[in-house]
Amino acid sequence: MLVLAGSFLACLGTVHELLNLRYLRRPPAKPPSVSVPVSVLVPARDEAHRIAPTIRSLLAQGGLTDVEILVLDDNSTDGTADVVRGVAPADARLRVLAGTPPPAGTLGKPHACAQLAAAARGAILVFVDADVVLSPDAVAAAVAVMRGPEPLDLVSPWPRQLATGFSGRLIQPLLAWSWLTTVPLRVAERSARPSMAVANGQFLVVEADALALVGGWQSVSGEVLDDIALARRIRAGGGRTGVADGSAIATCRMYDNGRELRNGYRKSLWAAFGSPLGAVGVAAALAVVYVLPPVAAATGSRIGAVGYLAAVLGRIPSARWCGAAERGAMIDAVAHPLSILTLLGLLASSWVGRLRGS
């Protein structure tokens, strides 16, 4: 019975994903010019080794008639500010701000973003992480999505993730796959339900007025998943948030190796599902839907084989957001059960660290 239920849900998830892909917001290839002031904001702490390409891509943005680029040096110890200034020492659009340490009870990323928002003068605020590289019209294209026929107050153009190594190829495609499979995106845009919020702080575009209305980044100062928490705050304040396909306009290399990936997920994955009970529930559901059917298929179950095939087919589209070649995408899709098991191991490790205070 569990194999049948898991296989049915795997098929349902793939059908739902295909519907989402059909209606997913996509930036225009040739966006119109943006006439209102835009502030591009980069929080950066110890990013000297990778921030230069990010800054060059921001300085190359077209279609913006009034733009400033603010980089907050968040108490770096590696000369991040010097690297930023060295990219374009004479460009008046670029300013480096010195960050202050976060107060007690406030986490570093939302505190850095709050300082940037306070210093910005733009009507539109564009938050970009220091490991993201944008195409030349990325900001204008994102604004076109946000202020299009069905306007949003906050939009996340989901960047293409550059996965490194075996663990990266197992885990990173699950980022886009998870919301494509589980969240009815166009319904979610019209809903105030917190559970339907999708956001990615790597590349986040928000109306300055909407951000101020809900108390800014200070309102999520203690949240580990601050991007999702901010989207939820804006929804609660009556605003609309959404996600868009940013695979053609932004790339992000979150981690350079498996150790960085494990540490990165371990520090925050515990916060993804609300409570230990929620984490157990999600883990059990993932195991039933995406691990049990292929195990049953290996013992001759045709129903399990159908569920496994559905999961593999559902995994392939996520390659658009993970930089895999066609052949590599198929190999990664076939390994989907192993991806889920790896994710569950990271989730368990994250909760153990949380409960131990580490």
Side-chain angles (χ1 to χ4, degrees):
M1 185 61 70
L2 281 178
V3 173
L4 176 60
S7 295
F8 173 76
L9 290 172
C11 293
L12 189 63
T14 296
V15 170
H16 180 258
E17 177 186 25
L18 295 175
L19 287 173
N20 267 338
L21 287 169
R22 171 67 177 80
Y23 296 105
L24 180 63
R25 291 176 182 261
R26 291 183 172 85
K30 296 182 178 180
S33 295
V34 181
S35 58
V36 300
V38 175
S39 297
V40 184
L41 311 173
V42 185
R45 181 177 185 182
D46 291 336
E47 301 284 5
H49 61 296
R50 60 184 177 184
I51 197 172
T54 299
I55 301 304
R56 293 190 190 101
S57 74
L58 300 182
L59 292 168
Q61 290 301 299
L64 307 176
T65 59
D66 185 0
V67 62
E68 64 174 354
I69 302 168
L70 306 182
V71 180
L72 186 93
D73 180 24
D74 191 15
N75 300 284
S76 298
T77 60
D78 66 348
T80 294
D82 293 334
V83 172
V84 173
R85 293 188 184 100
V87 172
D91 198 315
R93 295 171 298 170
L94 176 64
R95 286 194 293 144
V96 180
L97 310 177
T100 61
T106 299
L107 298 181
K109 176 71 177 290
H111 180 59
C113 290
Q115 293 174 81
L116 284 164
R121 59 174 177 81
I124 296 174
L125 307 182
V126 182
F127 293 90
V128 180
D129 278 0
D131 52 7
V132 173
V133 176
L134 301 184
S135 68
D137 292 318
V139 172
V143 173
V145 172
M146 188 174 71
R147 291 194 165 185
E150 299 179 76
L152 300 170
D153 296 285
L154 176 150
V155 67
S156 293
W158 203 278
R160 188 177 182 89
Q161 307 295 318
L162 302 180
T164 302
F166 181 66
S167 57
R169 289 179 59 181
L170 284 177
I171 292 297
Q172 293 302 82
L174 297 181
L175 291 171
W177 170 85
S178 62
W179 51 262
L180 281 168
T181 305
T182 61
V183 180
L185 296 178
R186 284 309 181 95
V187 174
E189 288 180 1
R190 295 171 173 82
S191 172
R193 292 180 63 87
S195 60
M196 287 191 171
V198 178
N200 186 340
Q202 295 170 348
F203 184 16
L204 194 68
V205 185
V206 61
E207 297 281 1
D209 289 345
L211 181 63
L213 183 65
V214 299
W217 287 94
Q218 296 91 332
S219 66
V220 295
S221 62
E223 299 288 345
V224 174
L225 301 177
D226 51 84
D227 45 7
I228 296 176
L230 185 67
R232 290 175 175 175
R233 289 284 299 179
I234 289 177
R235 282 168 175 259
R240 293 183 61 189
T241 74
V243 65
D245 180 1
S247 60
I249 62 174
T251 60
C252 176
R253 187 181 297 278
M254 290 177 67
Y255 307 112
D256 289 328
N257 52 57
R259 178 181 55 81
E260 287 186 5
L261 182 144
R262 287 190 297 272
N263 290 341
Y265 277 91
R266 188 173 185 268
K267 76 178 182 181
S268 60
L269 199 54
W270 65 268
F273 307 115
S275 68
L277 184 61
V280 169
V282 169
L286 287 171
V288 168
V289 179
Y290 296 111
V291 178
L292 186 58
V295 170
T299 64
S301 169
R302 293 184 178 180
I303 293 176
V306 170
Y308 175 44
L309 178 60
V312 169
L313 293 176
R315 173 67 180 267
I316 292 173
S318 64
R320 179 186 308 177
W321 288 275
C322 209
E326 183 175 347
R327 182 179 177 184
M330 179 58 68
I331 294 172
D332 294 348
V334 170
H336 188 60
L338 183 56
S339 291
I340 297 299
L341 288 172
T342 304
L343 176 65
L344 298 185
L346 289 170
L347 178 59
S349 176
S350 183
W351 265 109
V352 168
R354 170 65 173 171
L355 295 173
R356 289 179 176 176
S358 61

